[in-house]
Amino acid sequence: MQTVKLNNGVTIPQLGFGVFQMDDLDECYQAVTEAIKAGYRLFDTAATYGNEAAVGRAIRESGIPRDQFFVTSKMWIQDYQGTRPQKAIDQSLTELGLDYIDLYLIHMPYGDVFNAWRAMEESYQAGKLRAIGVSNFSPDQVTNLMLFNNIKPAINQLEVNPWNQQQANVLFNQRQNIQVEAWAPFAEGKNQIFTNKTLQQIAQGHHKTTGQVILRWLMQRGIVVIPKSVHQKRIQENIDVFDFSLSETEMQLITKLDQQTSQFFNPHDPEAIETIVNGGRPGANH
Ligand SMILES: NC(=O)c1ccc[n+]([C@@H]2O[C@H](COP(=O)([O-])OP(=O)(O)OC[C@H]3O[C@@H](n4cnc5c(N)ncnc54)[C@H](OP(=O)(O)O)[C@@H]3O)[C@@H](O)[C@H]2O)c1
């Protein structure tokens, strides 16, 4: 597996497995077990997904040493205040059934983010977390966090896919030596991404699928990817992306697909922020 070194020296696989919307714990356990068999070692869960326990169980029962895995989880907004962040980290550790978490993220950039970050810094220093980072942070929010704290985020997990390429945000993070990780690399299939003509033509030229071309395009931009699937064939397909590469011309053809807009929500839109903070899913009608 190709790896990337984070700004604190910790190594992360460049391709991993996301488990968002795997609400059924048996299904999640099965999917993670399939993914481990297929060769995935990076797993991306979150407290709010409600499936940390299933991810942890699949990892523990795999028989593969713990240090071969890279486990990510995230703190949700209601846990940012007061003494709650420390409890949330301990709760994630308990749910996962692990002694440490490889990467812990602030899931959304709202609420008492500074309090959450300082608790994460403490847990990092205590060895409970090997790396800490953020998600859905804009350049100004990352800058603000960095200016008033000790530890720089190792990762910024952002929505990046052909419809929402995030050129400026990705460049900002790369210049800061903050690793970008793409959530919804396939835009969850929205806007007919898997049957897009440009992507299909590129895929045919390499005897690959459109999904594989998307993952390759992201990795060639230096981004870590965490596609999700509950289907064995797709789980295998999505990791089979290390035996081809896209030409500069092909990369540019995909650049032209950018709609510079999210298929889900704009994390900086006041209405979306209110919906998220109140426990809803913005753009759930899409
Ligand atoms: N930080 C955040 O705010 C945030 C937000 C969203 C997601 N995430 C993380 O990012 C991960 C990935 O994002 P995501 O799950 O939202 O969406 P995604 O990976 O872009 O897309 C997943 C969808 O694509 C389908 N799919 C997967 N591989 C396919 C293939 N090869 N061909 C055709 N269809 C395929 C899946 O269907 P099947 O499962 O039916 O195969 C599923 O419906 C999440 O699981 C989560 O870990 C983070």
Side-chain angles (χ1 to χ4, degrees), residues 17-22 43-46 49 74 76 105-108 135-136 157-159 161 182-189 194 209-212 215 226-231 233-235 237-238 264-265:
F17 190 75
V19 299
F20 180 41
Q21 296 176 112
M22 291 192 201
F43 293 92
D44 183 90
T45 182
Y49 300 171
K74 316 183 191 81
W76 190 246
L105 304 177
I106 294 190
H107 205 145
M108 290 286 171
S135 181
N136 299 305
Q157 189 179 110
L158 302 168
E159 181 199 341
N161 51 56
W183 66 256
F186 302 140
E188 290 181 12
F194 292 113
T209 66
T210 49
Q212 290 169 324
L215 296 175
I226 44 169
K228 171 260 174 187
S229 177
V230 292
H231 293 101
K233 197 174 153 287
R234 290 174 178 173
I235 290 171
E237 178 186 319
N238 294 344
F264 305 94
F265 64 96

Side-chain angles (χ1 to χ4, degrees), residues 87-99:
K87 290 182 193 137
I89 294 164
D90 289 341
Q91 180 66 22
S92 284
L93 284 163
T94 304
E95 289 287 325
L96 286 160
L98 299 175
D99 298 333

Side-chain angles (χ1 to χ4, degrees), residues 255-276:
T255 305
K256 288 195 190 133
L257 299 179
D258 195 4
Q259 299 179 3
Q260 299 187 36
T261 176
S262 169
Q263 297 295 305
F264 305 94
F265 64 96
N266 171 0
H268 311 291
D269 168 40
E271 234 175 84
I273 295 172
E274 255 188 77
T275 307
I276 293 168

Side-chain angles (χ1 to χ4, degrees), residues 17 22 26-36 229-230 235:
F17 190 75
M22 291 192 201
D26 285 334
E27 182 185 58
C28 181
Y29 171 81
Q30 290 302 337
V32 173
T33 300
E34 282 299 340
I36 294 171
S229 177
V230 292
I235 290 171

Side-chain angles (χ1 to χ4, degrees), residues 2 7 41 71 98 101 132 157 172 195 210 239 259 264:
Q2 210 162 291
N7 60 23
R41 293 294 178 265
V71 180
L98 299 175
I101 298 170
I132 55 176
Q157 189 179 110
F172 166 81
T195 50
T210 49
I239 199 174
Q259 299 179 3
F264 305 94

Side-chain angles (χ1 to χ4, degrees), residues 135-149:
S135 181
N136 299 305
F137 274 52
S138 56
D140 59 307
Q141 290 167 326
V142 170
T143 305
N144 191 34
L145 190 75
M146 284 194 304
L147 282 174
F148 295 98
N149 289 288

